[in-house]
Each structure stands twice: as C-alpha cells, then as structure tokens.
Amino acid sequence: VVKFFRRRRPNYINSVEIVAKNNQGVAVVEEHMKQLMADSFPRGLETHIVKLLSDHRKSTITAVLEEQKECRSCKDDYETTLHCLREQSLAYSQMSTKFAANMGKCDEIDALKAGMSRWRASPTAPTSEFFS
C-alpha cells in the first residue's frame, strides 16, 4: 500500500502535506481534508507514505535524544531534564499535533456520516412479529 501510494498517488501525498503544514488558507486546508476523507483506505499510514511526515518524525526523535545527551553532559537534575525534554518535544511536534487534530476532525466527520446513514431492513431480516 505504501509503495503504491508513493508511486501512483501524488495528489494524496500533496493533500497530506498541505494538511500537515497547515500554512495555507482555511478553505484550502479543508478542501484537502475532504479529499483525504474521500480516500480513507490508507488512513493511519500517512507517516509511512509521506516523506515530509516521516522526516519530521525522525527529526523530532533526534532533537529529543540530542537534548537528553546535553542534559546528561551538563549533569542536570531529574526535574530539569524532564522540563528540557518536554520543551524540546513540544517545539518539534507542533506540525504533527496540528496534523493529528485535522485528521481527527476528518475521522469525526466520517463517524457522524456513518451514524447518520439509514439502515434498511433486508428482505431476510426478521420482522417485529418474530420478537413478539
């Protein structure tokens, strides 16, 4: 699935990047969110399909580990180390947080759509007399 989307679905990758960067107008981001909702098959694989997200994830991990090394070399106490690691993680994970929030909105809309769909009884479904 990952290779297929990387090779044959540049529009999907572009939409994920626009939603992740979140640096365009609200209307543009929402339009790309709609496009992503229309194709929910690769949902959850975005970080594997889109290099931007994968690279960002790796840089976040590297930054936090580098901060941890710095804290160890400075012999910071436990509380200071926790604070520094938290701040570094928050600083680097802003794009991921916004992307996750936007994708959460997409999931919420999909769930609402599913809840609003009308179920029709099939011809083989038991009638109300069956339960009397």
Side-chain angles (χ1 to χ4, degrees):
V1 173
V2 171
K3 288 180 182 179
F4 174 82
F5 274 83
R6 281 184 181 166
R7 291 181 186 153
R8 295 186 173 91
R9 300 294 298 278
N11 291 340
Y12 176 82
I13 293 170
N14 183 50
S15 289
V16 170
E17 288 178 349
I18 287 171
V19 172
K21 290 177 184 175
N22 202 20
N23 61 359
Q24 305 214 5
V26 174
V28 173
V29 173
E30 286 180 355
E31 180 59 35
H32 285 278
M33 287 170 66
K34 287 178 188 175
Q35 290 175 17
L36 294 176
M37 284 181 1
D39 190 8
S40 62
F41 181 74
R43 183 70 179 99
L45 297 175
E46 296 89 358
T47 57
H48 301 287
I49 295 170
V50 181
K51 188 172 179 1
L52 170 77
L53 295 178
S54 177
D55 290 348
H56 183 70
R57 181 178 177 270
K58 289 174 188 172
S59 68
T60 301
I61 292 169
T62 301
V64 171
L65 291 174
E66 288 297 321
E67 185 68 24
Q68 183 180 33
K69 284 180 190 176
E70 179 70 23
C71 288
R72 285 181 179 167
S73 70
C74 293
K75 301 194 186 304
D76 289 341
D77 64 15
Y78 181 74
E79 292 298 320
T80 303
T81 300
L82 285 180
H83 176 75
C84 291
L85 293 178
R86 180 181 184 280
E87 291 299 314
Q88 191 73 335
S89 178
L90 288 173
Y92 271 83
S93 63
Q94 288 179 3
M95 183 177 78
S96 300
T97 303
K98 290 176 184 175
F99 176 69
N102 283 338
M103 294 308 291
K105 289 177 188 175
C106 292
D107 292 343
E108 179 183 13
I109 292 167
D110 278 343
L112 289 171
K113 283 181 184 177
M116 290 173 46
S117 68
R118 293 184 179 199
W119 292 90
R120 296 178 190 226
S122 67
T124 59
T127 62
S128 60
E129 297 166 1
F130 178 79
F131 294 106
S132 330

